[in-house]
Amino acid sequence: MTKAPTPLRHFTRRRFLATAAAAALTAGLLTGARPLMAQEPIKVAAIYTVPVEQQWVSRIHKAAVAAEERGDITYTFSENVSNTDYARVMREYAEDGTQMIIGEAFAVEQEAREVAAEYPDIAFLLGSSFKPDPALPNFAVFDNYIQDASYLTGIIAGSMSESGNIGLIGGFPIPEVNRLMHAFMAGVRETNPDASFQVSFIGSWFDPPAAKETAYAMIENGADMLYAERFGVSDAAQEKGVLAIGNVIDTQADYPDTVVASAIWNFEPTLNMAIEQVKAGTFEADDYGRFSIMKEGGAELAPLGTFAGKVPQEAMDLVEQRKAEIMSGDYVTEINDEEPKSN
């Protein structure tokens, strides 16, 4: 494994790993685990280009830890793997008897699929902006379709912003980020139709200082609410006394006076279905993105914590109404993968 960088100020590595382990025994019950047949655990390896503390990767890691604690898998991982080394690490795990490899193919799509073709008996489940290819039956894809929860956080954000000037800071303008930002902005307009947006991308998946500096600039330009798609944004919001909305993970406990609400991604439904299929010998090229939606337990609105009772009741009533409509299918959050722009 590669060495992770210095821990973040609030969300430390030690705390993260301890929390993941402590939650493992109950995580499956809370987020869609499926009972599996009593069999030998399958050997699973994960390859991450960032530290396991990073929001998106941390959710995959948490689900894998829970599956290992249940006895469904054995789990090992490599973090901070560069894009140029990704294919090599895939082959190393494939040669080591690994039965399923999980991770991310966003910047290594062609190389990852080439490796999968070399090892047809190994299941590959990788985050991807592209669809599965029937000609590569052992390569399945997934995505974080948590736009429903992002939309709900937008309703809350719009009601809590006094200036109506809202900043959004993301890593890269790829569909996985764009759709969440658009859903968030749509929610904001429900309660603050005249809101304006500052949108910026820092060009990195893990650069808290850059995200923090970008947030400072938006606050200087009048933003009183920030969409924290990256680590570092909530630190700036906390220091400057403005509010923030979390993404993918819940950091409310770390920023009790800052983070109002968060859209949570639960990877357990995705991973548990893949484990079932590998054990049953039925794993195939498939799009697991559907297991990330709210109706499947793949997304949720985090508890408001210290902000419970502080959000206008009218906004919370709309949140509950929309949540019920989403679960019943009466409301469908628009998926817009185009790059969002400032207005």
Side-chain angles (χ1 to χ4, degrees):
M1 299 179 189
T2 52
K3 184 179 180 181
T6 302
L8 297 179
R9 177 182 173 189
H10 296 286
F11 200 66
T12 65
R13 180 180 187 82
R14 178 177 296 177
R15 176 179 177 184
F16 169 78
L17 294 174
T19 300
L25 291 176
T26 57
L29 295 176
L30 294 175
T31 52
R34 299 166 180 261
L36 300 175
M37 298 175 59
Q39 300 177 17
E40 287 295 315
I42 65 172
K43 190 173 182 178
V44 174
I47 309 170
Y48 307 126
T49 61
V50 293
V52 292
E53 292 91 348
Q54 189 259 12
Q55 297 104 303
W56 191 85
V57 161
S58 76
R59 306 306 287 175
I60 302 173
H61 179 73
K62 173 178 174 289
V65 169
E68 182 172 49
E69 291 292 336
R70 291 196 310 267
D72 294 332
I73 68 173
T74 61
Y75 170 56
T76 187
F77 66 92
S78 294
E79 57 187 344
N80 295 319
V81 176
S82 68
N83 292 330
T84 53
D85 280 342
Y86 205 91
R88 176 185 60 79
V89 177
M90 288 178 71
R91 289 188 175 93
E92 288 179 356
Y93 278 127
E95 293 288 345
D96 193 35
T98 298
Q99 294 166 274
M100 180 163 66
I101 293 175
I102 58 178
E104 51 196 286
F106 299 108
V108 291
E109 193 75 42
Q110 181 177 340
E111 295 89 343
R113 292 181 185 240
E114 289 174 354
V115 173
E118 296 172 15
Y119 299 93
D121 295 330
I122 296 174
F124 291 83
L125 177 66
L126 299 182
S128 173
S129 299
F130 296 90
K131 295 302 181 182
D133 181 357
L136 193 59
N138 63 324
F139 190 96
V141 300
F142 66 86
D143 213 338
N144 59 323
Y145 283 95
I146 64 169
Q147 63 277 351
D148 293 328
S150 297
Y151 165 76
L152 297 179
T153 64
I155 293 174
I156 293 171
S159 74
M160 295 290 283
S161 173
E162 295 182 1
S163 69
N165 185 332
I166 297 176
L168 296 87
I169 300 167
F172 293 92
I174 65 171
E176 290 71 21
V177 175
N178 298 344
R179 72 174 67 109
L180 305 187
M181 286 187 167
H182 279 295
F184 170 78
M185 291 190 287
V188 168
R189 294 188 185 102
E190 293 274 22
T191 51
N192 201 330
D194 297 324
S196 60
F197 301 98
Q198 303 178 59
V199 182
S200 184
F201 298 91
I202 63 171
S204 172
W205 292 130
F206 196 78
D207 191 346
K212 192 173 182 179
E213 288 301 320
T214 303
Y216 283 150
M218 289 185 175
I219 295 168
E220 186 71 22
N221 199 34
D224 69 351
M225 173 70 72
L226 298 175
Y227 178 77
E229 200 268 331
R230 293 292 101 194
F231 275 146
V233 176
S234 294
D235 289 292
Q238 179 175 254
E239 291 178 17
K240 297 298 184 179
V242 304
L243 300 177
I245 296 293
N247 178 62
V248 176
I249 63 174
D250 182 9
T251 57
Q252 217 279 323
D254 298 301
Y255 306 92
D257 299 319
T258 303
V259 175
V260 183
S262 298
I264 304 300
W265 179 37
N266 296 320
F267 189 66
E268 284 81 355
T270 298
L271 180 59
N272 294 334
M273 176 57 72
I275 292 171
E276 276 192 28
Q277 293 190 345
V278 170
K279 287 196 170 189
T282 58
F283 188 88
E284 61 184 359
D286 196 1
D287 185 353
Y288 280 72
R290 65 187 182 279
F291 296 111
S292 286
I293 65 173
M294 186 173 285
K295 288 178 67 175
E296 293 288 340
E300 62 180 310
L301 181 66
L304 298 185
T306 55
F307 281 90
K310 298 179 182 179
V311 178
Q313 189 58 47
E314 184 178 357
M316 291 310 301
D317 290 344
L318 180 57
V319 166
E320 292 304 316
Q321 175 189 334
R322 287 286 189 259
K323 187 188 301 183
E325 292 170 346
I326 288 168
M327 296 301 288
S328 69
D330 291 333
Y331 183 87
V332 178
T333 306
E334 180 184 3
I335 295 177
N336 184 347
D337 289 344
E338 297 299 316
E339 180 178 345
K341 304 291 185 181
S342 301
N343 65 356

